Amino acid sequence: MRVTSVTLAAGADLNGFRRAVRRLIADDISPEAVVWQTDAAPSLFDASPMAGTLDTAPPISLPRTATDLIRHVICHHDPERYALIYRCVWRLLNGERSLLDVASDPLVARLALMAKSVRRDVHKMHAFLRFRCVSDRSGERYIAWFEPAHYILEETADFFVDRFRSMVWSILTPVGSLHWDRETLRIGPPGDKTTLPATGAVEAEWDTYYASTFNPARANTAAMLREMPKKYWRNMPETKLIPDLLRSAGSRVETFMSNVPTLPRKKDPAKAVARMRDGDVRTLADLNAVIAAAEPFVPGGTRAVLGEGPLKPALAFVGEQPGDQEDLQGHPFVGPAGQLLTRAMTEAGIDRDACYLTNAVKHFKFDQRGKRRLHRTPTAGEVRHYRWWLDKELELVAPKLIVALGATAVLALAGKVLPITKSRGPLDFAGRPGFVTVHPSYLLRVPDEAAKRAAYDAFVADLAAAQALAAKLSAAA
C-alpha cells in the first residue's frame, strides 16, 4: 500500500489541514494510507509527499457539529490529532453522516474528550491571564505571560482583541505570541518569560479587587483548586493573598455573624405625609402650600391640583384624580368629565360655585404615548399615601355632606373597597355624612346612547338626592 505523507505547520494548522483534507478526499486516499507530521516533528516512516496542488481540490461538505469539533481538536497537543480527525471526516463522507450522534463510538468519544479539554484550556486562559504595564518612549503597553496546555493561542486571539481593543498589548506563551497595536493583530514566535517587567500598579489593583470580593463564608479550598489549579498561580499576582485569606476566613465569618443586620432605607410616602402632621398646618392655605411643595406620589404628575370652593359648604365633591386638562390648567373638574358634572349639577339645582370640589389623589397619573397622556387609575397604595391630605382638607373645609364620585373616592373616604352598585346612595365616611355615586367620566364611556341617557338621568337624580340630604343636615344643625 502506497503511503502519503502530509506535513503541516507546528501548532494548530487549521487552514493547512483543511487544504490537505480536500486534496486527500479528491484523490480518494483512506486514513490508513496517510501519515501526518509537522515541521517540528518529521515522520520516521517512509512515505511519499502528497501529490497535486492543495488549493485546486474541490471543497467538501460537513455537518456543522463536525466543523466545530475539528476547530477545537486541531488545538489539542496530542500528536495524533490530525490522523484522528481525518479518520472521522472519512467516515462522515463514506456512509456515516450521523457518526457524531453516536457518543459511544470510540473515535467520537475520544474526539469529544479532546475538544472538551481544549475548551477548558481556552476558558482558563480567558480567566487567568494577567497583564503587566510597561511604559517607555512609545507610550503605555501591556504584557502578559501564559502557559497553555494546548495550541490555543490563535483560538483565543479574537477574545482578547475584543476585550482590550483600546490597549497596546502582547501575550507571550512558550509556543507563540500575540501582539496588538490597536489596529493590527500579529502572531509571533514563542516568548520569553524573563522579559516580563516587575509587578506594578496593575498587580496592586488586582490584589485590592480580589481581597474585596473574597467571601470567607463560601471559602472552599477543594472547589477553588478544581476551578483554579495551582499551576496557574505563579502567573497570577493575587494568588499570594490566598493563604492569608483562608486563614482569616473563620474569624471574618464570626465577625459577620455577630453584626446585627439592618434593612435598607427606603423612601416611604406614608412617613413623609406623617411628618407633615407635626408641621404647622392650621388653615386650608397652609395645607395647600404643603401639598403644592410635595413630590408626586404617582408617576407622571407635573403639579398638584388643589381643591377649590368655599369653606363650610353644604356639599363637597371628591373625585378620583386630576385629568389631563386639570393638570394643564391647575383647576379641578375642568376637563370633559368636569364639564359633564357642571351640567348635571345645574339640572339637579346645585350651584357649582357654592360647592367644594377636590380629588382623592392630587396629581395626574398617566402614561405618555407620543403626544397623548393616557389616564392610569391610581393603586390602593397610592390612594392611601394621599389619604391624610384628604382627611385634613375635609376637616378644614367642614362640608355638611361629602359626595364620593366613583370607586377611588369611596376607597379614600371609607378606607376600603366598596362596589358602587351596592353602596350607591347615603353612606357614613368615618363619622362624616356621605353620599356615593358614579364618577362623571363613567358616563362618557357608556357606548349605547339609550344606556348613556339612562345613566346620566340616574346621576342627576343622585345629585338631587344629595342636595336634599345636605339641606336636611343643614336644617338639623
Side-chain angles (χ1 to χ4, degrees):
M1 180 179 63
R2 181 173 176 270
V3 177
T4 300
S5 68
V6 179
T7 303
L8 301 177
D13 187 3
L14 179 59
N15 291 330
F17 177 75
R18 284 172 173 165
R19 291 194 299 269
V21 167
R22 290 171 185 168
R23 184 74 268 167
L24 291 169
I25 295 298
D27 295 341
D28 197 29
I29 300 176
S30 68
E32 292 77 14
V34 182
V35 173
W36 298 88
Q37 58 191 19
T38 65
D39 292 337
S43 174
L44 300 177
F45 297 95
D46 183 17
S48 302
M50 184 167 50
T53 304
L54 298 183
D55 292 331
T56 61
I60 60 176
S61 175
L62 294 174
R64 174 67 64 85
T65 53
T67 58
D68 290 342
L69 181 70
I70 291 170
R71 181 171 61 86
H72 285 103
V73 176
I74 285 287
C75 300
H76 203 278
H77 71 272
D78 191 330
E80 295 185 44
R81 61 190 181 279
Y82 294 119
L84 294 171
I85 298 172
Y86 184 56
R87 193 181 306 163
C88 177
V89 171
W90 180 267
R91 292 174 61 181
L92 286 168
L93 297 176
N94 287 273
E96 298 184 67
R97 195 70 179 178
S98 301
L99 172 64
L100 297 180
D101 295 334
V102 185
S104 60
D105 184 276
L107 176 61
V108 174
R110 183 173 177 182
L111 292 175
L113 288 175
M114 293 170 70
K116 180 179 179 181
S117 179
V118 169
R119 287 193 297 268
R120 180 176 175 83
D121 201 31
V122 169
H123 168 71
K124 298 304 182 187
M125 187 168 178
H126 290 171
F128 300 146
L129 184 136
R130 300 289 183 265
F131 283 104
R132 296 181 184 180
C133 183
V134 176
S135 297
D136 52 29
R137 280 182 288 183
S138 63
E140 191 175 71
R141 59 192 181 94
Y142 295 84
I143 300 179
W145 172 263
F146 192 78
E147 300 170 20
H150 304 292
Y151 302 112
I152 61 171
L153 191 62
E154 294 182 44
E155 178 69 19
T156 61
D158 289 344
F159 171 86
F160 290 109
V161 169
D162 290 341
R163 181 67 62 89
F164 306 109
R165 188 175 295 276
S166 63
M167 293 166 44
V168 176
W169 51 260
S170 295
I171 298 176
L172 311 181
T173 78
V175 295
S177 56
L178 297 175
H179 305 276
W180 172 254
D181 61 4
R182 298 194 184 99
E183 295 181 358
T184 306
L185 179 69
R186 181 170 58 86
I187 299 174
D192 183 358
K193 186 178 181 180
T194 61
T195 61
L196 263 68
T199 58
V202 175
E203 286 74 15
E205 291 176 3
W206 265 112
D207 291 351
T208 302
Y209 170 78
Y210 188 80
S212 65
T213 58
F214 181 81
N215 186 348
R218 302 188 66 182
N220 185 322
T221 305
M224 180 186 66
L225 290 174
R226 282 196 302 271
E227 294 300 318
M228 188 170 64
K230 276 200 170 184
K231 69 177 183 178
Y232 299 108
W233 288 26
R234 58 182 176 270
N235 298 316
M236 300 171 63
E238 68 270 25
T239 53
K240 64 180 179 294
L241 304 175
I242 291 177
D244 288 340
L245 291 172
L246 290 174
R247 278 193 294 269
S248 63
S251 60
R252 290 178 64 187
V253 170
E254 291 179 2
T255 301
F256 291 160
M257 296 297 290
S258 63
N259 291 334
V260 178
T262 57
L263 294 174
R265 295 183 62 186
K266 296 181 179 179
K267 292 183 178 180
D268 186 347
K271 292 183 179 179
V273 173
R275 284 194 295 270
M276 297 174 192
R277 296 183 183 136
D278 300 329
D280 191 16
V281 178
R282 300 177 183 275
T283 66
L284 185 60
D286 294 336
L287 178 64
N288 286 342
V290 170
I291 297 173
E295 291 291 326
F297 295 155
V298 294
T302 57
R303 63 173 172 180
V305 178
L306 306 174
E308 292 182 354
L311 299 179
K312 301 184 184 305
L315 292 170
F317 290 84
V318 179
E320 178 194 77
Q321 67 171 2
D324 180 66
Q325 288 302 311
E326 287 80 4
D327 183 61
L328 293 174
Q329 298 181 40
H331 300 288
F333 292 99
V334 294
Q339 295 170 17
L340 186 61
L341 173 64
T342 301
R343 173 185 153 197
M345 292 172 72
T346 301
E347 292 186 22
I350 300 172
D351 180 4
R352 171 170 170 152
D353 292 338
C355 301
Y356 188 84
L357 291 93
T358 189
N359 284 291
V361 171
K362 307 302 182 187
H363 297 88
F364 178 33
K365 180 181 179 181
F366 65 89
D367 282 329
Q368 189 78 44
R369 301 287 175 85
K371 294 183 178 180
R372 299 179 63 197
R373 303 194 301 174
L374 302 182
H375 165 277
R376 287 178 58 194
T377 302
T379 66
E382 290 165 344
V383 173
R384 185 174 64 253
H385 296 153
Y386 284 92
R387 192 179 182 194
W388 180 81
W389 282 344
L390 180 63
D391 287 343
K392 189 67 176 179
E393 182 181 20
L394 294 174
E395 176 188 321
L396 295 169
V397 172
K400 290 292 187 289
L401 183 72
I402 302 169
V403 179
L405 302 172
T408 299
V410 173
L411 173 62
L413 292 164
K416 58 183 177 181
V417 177
L418 296 173
I420 299 299
T421 54
K422 293 183 178 180
S423 57
R424 195 167 184 168
L427 186 70
D428 180 78
F429 294 135
R432 295 188 179 116
F435 194 97
V436 176
T437 187
V438 298
H439 195 281
S441 63
Y442 160 75
L443 305 176
L444 298 174
R445 298 193 299 271
V446 178
D448 181 73
E449 285 301 322
K452 179 176 291 189
R453 183 67 210 181
Y456 177 76
D457 291 343
F459 181 60
V460 172
D462 282 346
L463 298 186
Q467 167 82 328
L469 181 56
K472 183 178 179 180
L473 293 171
S474 297

